[in-house]
Amino acid sequence: MNMQLPYRIVLVQTSHPGNIGAAARAMKTMGITDLVLVSPERFPDAQATARASGADDVLANARVVDSLVEAIGDCGLVMGASARLRSLPWPTVDPRQAAAIMADHRDDGAAVVFGPEQSGLDNEHLARCHQLVHIPANPDYSSLNLAQAVQVVCYELRMASLPLSTGVERERRLASATEVERFHTHLEEVLAETGFLNPDHPKQLLLRLRRLFNRAQLDDNEVNILRGILSTVDPRRRR
Ligand code: SAH
């Protein structure tokens, strides 16, 4: 699915141009293209282009600005990616939670800010972030490469934006509640007729069957098949 996501990635004072290129590539693979660079040490740069490897359009469209405030001026929601959990407790979420929150605010302008390789985001930067995003890595070795951190966050942003998939690619219209209700009534009648259903204790079995069929999320075609089977085995019809 070719789906562009409206999120902004901000890289603050990046030292290695290679990381900028790799971050651009990480973004583009996830359908995110809005890149803003705050005072990068070297940019544009051949290393950035080499590591972008086909995501040079993201680099070409990247805006370079002097301050974080400028980078996020038009954003409603700003998340700061941090490798360390801070001594001053700051509201912190993991990338999955961050992606869900950002999906809620995608029309308000939502950005994730990443810090410099050596030092990470400083307090001045953090003060501009509504929440921190921390990738829950090995506590003894929690600092990911900048572009790899960008990849993890952008992956979660994409996952949060994909329509829920059942893993089955087919044109299916889920059966309506009324159709499903008729099926269960029919099933109950047939089970009672065959003697499988104990009329003194019908509840548990019927509930379990409902749970089973709800899990399957029947489509209308499947309901028709099941009702056809019920009609065929219905003892009332055989008599
Ligand atoms: N030495 C720095 C790490 C900088 S890594 C420090 O201790 O803060 C460069 C940037 O990648 C970080 O500023 C952050 O934005 C991102 N990053 C790296 N590891 C991360 C993690 N585990 N969770 C969230 N962001 C991370």
Side-chain angles (χ1 to χ4, degrees), residues 6-200:
Y7 302 117
R8 176 172 305 165
I9 298 297
V10 179
L11 305 183
V12 177
Q13 292 157 12
T14 311
S15 337
H16 299 295
N19 279 336
I20 299 177
R25 180 179 185 174
M27 290 168 60
K28 188 171 174 180
T29 57
M30 297 297 122
I32 298 171
T33 54
D34 183 4
L35 175 62
V36 179
L37 307 171
V38 180
S39 314
E41 222 154 86
R42 293 187 352 242
F43 187 81
D45 187 279
Q47 277 187 47
T49 311
R51 294 285 303 278
S53 164
D56 11 23
D57 53 331
V58 176
L59 287 187
N61 292 322
R63 279 193 298 129
V64 179
V65 298
D66 290 332
S67 70
L68 176 59
V69 173
E70 222 178 306
I72 55 170
D74 54 347
C75 292
L77 179 68
V78 182
M79 314 290 271
S82 173
R84 279 170 294 156
L85 296 170
R86 307 284 157 161
S87 40
L88 172 67
W90 209 260
T92 302
V93 292
D94 67 36
R96 196 155 300 171
Q97 297 167 315
I101 297 167
M102 288 175 68
D104 266 352
H105 291 282
R106 52 186 280 165
D107 301 327
D108 304 333
V112 189
V113 182
F114 293 82
E117 292 91 331
Q118 301 311 319
S119 49
L121 295 170
D122 66 25
N123 284 330
E124 281 298 298
H125 301 135
L126 291 180
R128 264 87 196 169
C129 298
H130 294 104
Q131 298 188 26
L132 296 190
V133 193
H134 176 70
I135 300 164
N138 176 357
D140 300 326
Y141 190 70
S142 67
S143 176
L144 281 75
N145 163 270
L146 171 60
Q148 292 174 350
V150 170
Q151 184 76 75
V152 171
V153 169
C154 289
Y155 169 73
E156 290 294 344
L157 287 169
R158 188 167 186 84
M159 287 301 286
S161 302
L162 289 178
L164 277 183
S165 164
T166 54
V168 186
E169 291 302 329
R170 61 182 151 163
E171 289 291 319
R172 54 180 248 162
R173 198 185 70 81
L174 290 180
S176 71
T178 307
E179 290 167 324
V180 172
E181 212 45 51
R182 287 197 190 115
F183 160 66
H184 280 290
T185 308
H186 195 173
L187 179 62
E188 182 178 348
E189 288 166 6
V190 172
L191 292 178
E193 283 288 331
T194 59
F196 187 83
L197 182 69
N198 177 351
D200 297 333

